[in-house]
Amino acid sequence: MEESKGIPDTHVQEVSSERAKPGFGRKLKHHLRRWWWLHLILFIASTLIIVLCLVYVAFPRISQDGVNDSTLEIQSLTLSDPKPDSFHLKQTAILENHSNYHPRLDAFNASLSVGGAENKPYAFIELPAVHATETATTMIDQDVQITDMEAFIDYNIQLLTRESVDLVVKGRTDLHEMAFPTTTVDYDKTVTLRGLNGLAGFNVTDFSIKLIPEPDGANMIGTVFIPNPSVFTISMGNVTFNNYVDDEFIGTSTLSDLVITPGDNTVSMRSTVNQSLVIEKVTSTYKEGILPIDIVGNSSVYNGEHLVYFEKALQSNRQHVELNVGAALAALTGGSGGL
């Protein structure tokens, strides 16, 4: 009886062993008590890796992206004191920063080139340090040496003859932001500027003929209108043009100490023309007195020195005007109308 009422020994042993088996929580506590120092090291190492990646990998990329997304707008650009191999540059530009960060950029040496396949720098300038707030103004006032004449000639041809020209500014500088380590960024901006558009609208607004040439040989005195839709102010010195009628050379015109400024320009013109040939054209072919004249740039001389980069640009551009020579000749004799 006693044996049938009891519990088998084997069953008691199984139940006792299941109750004595430690759970996951006890194992975890035991593990942490024993290996806490190892987990601390792993935590510190992981945190350090994340921070280092942020500082030395993510931040430089964020900085470069911010520079790439910024924009540069040139508000005014003055080229003065031109020499055969240099000029003085005065420029005001607006830097717009679209990033949430407002870093400081160190001054750096930047190359200037015209957009295109070649993209060869024609000069280098020193860009000043700037605090890149949402809108920052930068100013340049320095002498610039021309490093590639062919590239600078191409730049001036495009500037004179096209509606717009791409100016490429490239360089490398250091960027500073709060307590982050200094990082180096590449500055590469293409600024599209309005060109002089072939001097479209150029015109001789008035002129008079001199039967007796003046001491400098001028026998036609007048005024020309030169529109400039760009932000450029350009000192070109004494500029001469060759004048043609039906591709036949009839004389030259000179604009002394020419400075083209933004907007409308009215400039005095002094010309030396072959009056006999002009009268022959008016009395034979253009009897109404309206003479079609093609004007092509010839030379640009500043302080007695030829400026090849301006001369090549002027020679690549042709203007056409219609002059009422008949009325000007009639005015000499007090008459009216064509000849």
Side-chain angles (χ1 to χ4, degrees):
M1 291 292 292
E2 292 178 359
E3 200 171 346
S4 63
K5 291 179 180 180
I7 301 174
D9 291 340
T10 57
H11 184 69
V12 172
Q13 290 174 359
E14 289 175 3
V15 172
S16 297
S17 96
E18 287 178 3
R19 289 179 179 176
K21 187 178 181 180
F24 175 76
R26 291 180 62 190
K27 286 183 178 181
L28 178 61
K29 290 179 180 178
H30 177 73
H31 175 81
L32 292 176
R33 279 197 301 268
R34 185 176 181 182
W35 302 101
W36 65 268
W37 54 272
L38 178 59
H39 285 277
L40 179 61
I41 291 174
L42 291 174
F43 174 76
I44 293 174
S46 299
T47 303
L48 185 60
I49 290 173
I50 293 172
V51 171
L52 290 176
C53 287
L54 176 63
V55 172
Y56 292 101
V57 179
F59 178 67
R61 290 181 179 176
I62 292 172
S63 300
Q64 186 63 63
D65 288 343
V67 171
N68 293 343
D69 291 340
S70 66
T71 57
L72 183 66
E73 178 187 351
I74 297 177
Q75 292 193 321
S76 66
L77 193 156
T78 300
L79 192 157
S80 61
D81 193 24
K83 295 180 175 63
D85 59 357
S86 67
F87 56 90
H88 187 82
L89 176 66
K90 189 172 183 179
Q91 174 184 294
T92 301
I94 300 295
L95 175 66
E96 293 187 359
N97 177 20
H98 306 295
S99 170
N100 292 326
Y101 300 99
H102 297 145
R104 295 183 180 274
L105 299 174
D106 288 346
F108 65 98
N109 198 37
S111 66
L112 300 178
S113 60
V114 62
E118 294 293 331
N119 201 21
K120 293 181 179 178
Y122 61 77
F124 292 84
I125 59 173
E126 184 74 14
L127 289 179
V130 61
H131 184 198
T133 55
E134 290 185 5
T135 302
T137 301
T138 64
M139 301 187 70
I140 297 172
D141 193 352
Q142 58 193 252
D143 291 329
V144 178
Q145 193 74 23
I146 301 169
T147 56
D148 189 315
M149 183 58 67
E150 290 302 319
F152 193 50
I153 288 173
D154 182 41
Y155 170 72
N156 280 281
I157 290 175
Q158 292 195 34
L159 176 62
L160 177 64
T161 61
R162 296 186 178 183
E163 290 187 13
S164 64
V165 59
D166 288 336
L167 177 64
V168 181
V169 184
K170 286 185 179 182
R172 174 170 288 188
T173 186
D174 288 337
L175 180 148
H176 311 274
E177 173 64 17
M178 298 187 293
F180 287 101
T182 299
T183 184
T184 301
V185 293
D186 292 319
Y187 192 85
D188 186 349
K189 292 294 173 189
T190 298
V191 185
T192 300
L193 300 168
R194 293 193 67 178
L196 276 70
N197 195 23
L199 301 180
F202 177 97
N203 195 25
V204 178
T205 55
D206 66 76
F207 69 98
S208 60
I209 295 175
K210 306 289 184 179
L211 292 180
I212 300 177
E214 297 198 350
D216 62 352
N219 56 10
M220 189 176 84
I221 312 297
T223 304
V224 298
F225 171 76
I226 304 175
N228 177 11
S230 76
V231 298
F232 287 83
T233 297
I234 307 174
S235 298
M236 303 184 71
N238 297 329
V239 175
T240 62
F241 296 88
N242 291 336
N243 304 316
Y244 301 87
V245 175
D246 300 331
D247 292 327
E248 188 173 3
F249 178 75
I250 63 169
T252 61
S253 297
T254 301
L255 308 180
S256 298
D257 299 322
L258 178 62
V259 178
I260 300 178
T261 59
D264 296 339
N265 296 264
T266 301
V267 183
S268 297
M269 174 191 71
R270 301 179 68 82
S271 303
T272 301
V273 299
N274 185 335
Q275 291 184 347
S276 299
L277 182 57
V278 168
I279 292 174
E280 177 187 333
K281 294 282 186 182
V282 171
T283 55
S284 60
T285 307
Y286 302 99
K287 296 183 177 181
E288 292 186 357
I290 307 299
L291 206 61
I293 299 180
D294 290 319
I295 302 173
V296 182
N298 179 26
S299 67
S300 174
V301 179
Y302 188 87
N303 285 340
E305 296 182 303
H306 282 266
L307 306 175
V308 177
Y309 45 87
F310 285 155
E311 292 181 344
K312 293 293 186 181
L314 290 167
Q315 292 164 9
S316 71
N317 195 54
R318 178 180 290 258
Q319 301 296 318
H320 182 84
V321 297
E322 303 278 335
L323 292 188
N324 193 342
V325 176
L329 290 173
L332 293 176
T333 60
S336 60
L339 294 182

